[in-house]
Amino acid sequence: MTGPSEGTPEGTPEGTPGEAHDAAHEYAAGRAPRIPGPRPAGDDLEPPEPVPAPPPPHRVLKSLLGAWALAACSAEETQAVEDHLTECAPCAEEALRLRDAVGLLHPEETLDLKPLLRSRVLEDCLGRRPARIPVPVWAGPYDTETARLDALLRDFGEAEWDTPVRLKWFQEERRRTRRTTVSGVIGHLLTVDGLVATALGLDDPLGPHAPPGGPAGRTEHFWSSDARPGTGAVRDPWREQGHTLVRTVSFAGRGAAELAVDYGPFALPLADAFLERAFECWVHASDIAEAVDYPYGPPSGPHLHRMIDLAARLLPTALAGRRRSGLAAPPRGLVAAGAPGRTLHLEIEGAGGGSWDIALDSPAAKPSREHTVAEVALDGVEFCQLAAGHISPQDAAVGQTGDREAIRDVLFSAASLSRL
């Protein structure tokens, strides 16, 4: 048997002198191989999870609120901002304000999408904070109807502005018509609204050489003028004039309501003139909508009621005018001003409805239920179509009882309120 070599300690591995020298040299040079220590249990199954990065500081997250409100952050930034909002009340409040503001940053929407958007926004705004300079109640229908028509016109192209439109009204004993275009209808509204503008001391849209007379003469002058705006160019001056009228009466105060507006053959107080212009704007907007095959609804109930009320108050005067022209039966008796006389009870049904008593023998007579000789019932929209000359008195679907002659005279008088 051979035992361990002399000089070699027992239990020391044998090796060549060269190998021992090389190992000692590498160790001395710092290149000796590291001896791995014991690995923790389970370390060979999966690597340790990375330590998550700390969230961005407050100032960085606050600077991202605008981009977050616009949905312009990355997924990581969005998550960081939303996590921060659950912990930081000031940033959460600011984020809410920014998100609400972004909701207002959209292009103009067409009437097809939200036809009642303007009304809802106005109602909400006025409910939160009353206007410092409110629009008079009697100017509200005009403000609304011009806005509704403008919303319809907003999407019109060149072809739609040249669409033929047939205007209709009632004169003497028969209906009249006149052919024009969408552009011509807006020009007609512009020139007749000019009567209200001049009464308020504003510029006449027809200029300093506007012809005297009523709406028909002014309209014919505008249509025949070489200087009139072409096609859709008439929309801007019409809309700007409407804004100016509403703004002017809003600052004018309560006394402006009684200011007389001269229509040529007759005059109206400013408050009634605004209602009359609102009524005509709605009627002609319906004419335009019919020409381009677009649905267009009536005014809201409260506004429709005011328009019907104006027409009902004008009926005794219209009836007296027809009598002077020999188109209506003479009064049954002379009635002193303020004294009760024969009366027709008018019942308007549906939205904007109500009841009115119409003096038959004289505009100055006092209506009296005890002297009622006839009753008429009509739908509100149909009554307005009758007053606009769009349906004839013979075609109006009415419920009627009592004096047939009185009923006929009142229905024809309602139709005679219409004009070009």
Side-chain angles (χ1 to χ4, degrees):
M1 282 180 74
T2 304
S5 300
E6 185 178 352
T8 301
E10 188 177 0
T12 302
E14 296 182 6
T16 63
E19 291 174 345
H21 174 77
D22 291 341
H25 180 73
E26 289 181 357
Y27 183 85
R31 297 193 299 271
R34 296 174 64 103
I35 300 174
R39 300 179 66 181
D43 187 59
D44 57 333
L45 298 179
E46 58 182 12
E49 295 184 0
V51 178
H58 172 85
R59 59 181 179 81
V60 174
L61 293 171
K62 185 176 180 180
S63 68
L64 290 173
L65 291 179
W68 173 85
L70 292 168
C73 288
S74 67
E76 293 78 9
E77 291 171 336
T78 300
Q79 185 63 47
V81 170
E82 292 178 353
D83 289 344
H84 179 66
L85 296 182
T86 62
E87 302 172 352
C88 180
C91 284
E93 185 177 354
E94 178 68 15
L96 183 61
R97 286 196 297 266
L98 290 172
R99 180 60 62 88
D100 289 342
V102 167
L104 302 176
L105 300 177
H106 58 73
E108 288 187 337
E109 297 181 351
T110 67
L111 195 64
D112 289 324
L113 295 177
K114 295 180 180 179
L116 298 180
L117 175 61
R118 182 179 185 275
S119 297
R120 290 199 300 268
V121 170
L122 285 175
E123 181 180 359
D124 183 62
C125 291
L126 293 176
R128 291 176 181 268
R129 186 179 63 183
R132 293 180 60 188
I133 308 296
V135 175
V137 174
W138 43 266
Y142 175 82
D143 187 32
T144 300
E145 292 308 313
T146 52
R148 287 212 303 152
L149 174 55
D150 186 58
L152 174 63
L153 300 174
R154 182 180 301 147
D155 298 327
F156 277 16
E158 199 71 17
E160 284 85 359
W161 281 100
D162 290 326
T163 302
V165 180
R166 187 166 293 278
L167 302 181
K168 302 178 283 288
W169 71 97
F170 189 85
Q171 187 173 348
E172 295 181 349
E173 296 296 302
R174 62 190 184 94
R175 289 173 61 187
R176 309 279 181 169
T177 62
R178 177 66 187 272
R179 188 177 181 274
T180 183
T181 63
V182 171
S183 178
V185 174
I186 302 304
H188 168 59
L189 293 175
L190 171 71
T191 58
V192 184
D193 284 355
L195 293 171
V196 182
T198 55
L200 289 169
L202 303 173
D203 293 337
D204 192 323
L206 296 182
H209 304 294
R218 290 173 60 86
T219 299
E220 294 291 352
H221 175 82
F222 177 83
W223 284 344
S224 61
S225 173
D226 295 332
R228 68 172 183 170
T231 59
V234 72
R235 176 196 170 198
D236 288 341
W238 165 75
R239 193 69 180 107
E240 180 59 31
Q241 179 177 251
H243 283 310
T244 303
L245 290 175
V246 174
R247 183 168 55 248
T248 301
V249 298
S250 297
F251 281 93
R254 296 181 179 180
E258 300 302 323
L259 180 68
V261 178
D262 185 10
Y263 280 78
F266 61 95
L268 290 174
L270 184 65
D272 287 347
F274 263 83
L275 282 174
E276 186 272 336
R277 301 312 305 143
F279 177 79
E280 186 167 0
C281 183
W282 163 47
V283 168
H284 289 323
S286 299
D287 292 334
I288 292 172
E290 181 181 359
V292 298
D293 195 24
Y294 192 94
Y296 201 84
S300 65
H303 290 177
L304 188 62
H305 179 83
R306 287 181 172 272
M307 297 176 191
I308 294 172
D309 177 72
L310 173 63
R313 287 189 283 112
L314 294 176
L315 280 177
T317 302
L319 177 55
R322 285 180 57 81
R323 284 201 179 107
R324 288 192 296 269
S325 302
L327 300 175
R332 299 286 179 85
L334 298 178
V335 180
R342 289 190 314 140
T343 301
L344 179 139
H345 182 71
L346 177 63
E347 191 74 28
I348 301 299
E349 302 170 344
S355 59
W356 289 264
D357 290 323
I358 312 300
L360 295 173
D361 293 324
S362 170
K366 180 181 179 180
S368 170
R369 293 303 299 268
E370 290 76 17
H371 294 78
T372 299
V373 298
E375 295 186 3
V376 169
L378 265 169
D379 175 75
V381 173
E382 189 168 26
F383 175 78
C384 290
Q385 291 176 335
L386 175 65
H390 280 45
I391 59 174
S392 66
Q394 298 92 334
D395 296 335
V398 299
Q400 48 187 279
T401 59
D403 190 328
R404 300 295 178 182
E405 185 180 65
I407 293 171
R408 179 187 183 279
D409 286 344
V410 168
L411 293 179
F412 272 81
S413 297
S416 71
L417 294 174
S418 64
R419 63 173 187 278
L420 172 61

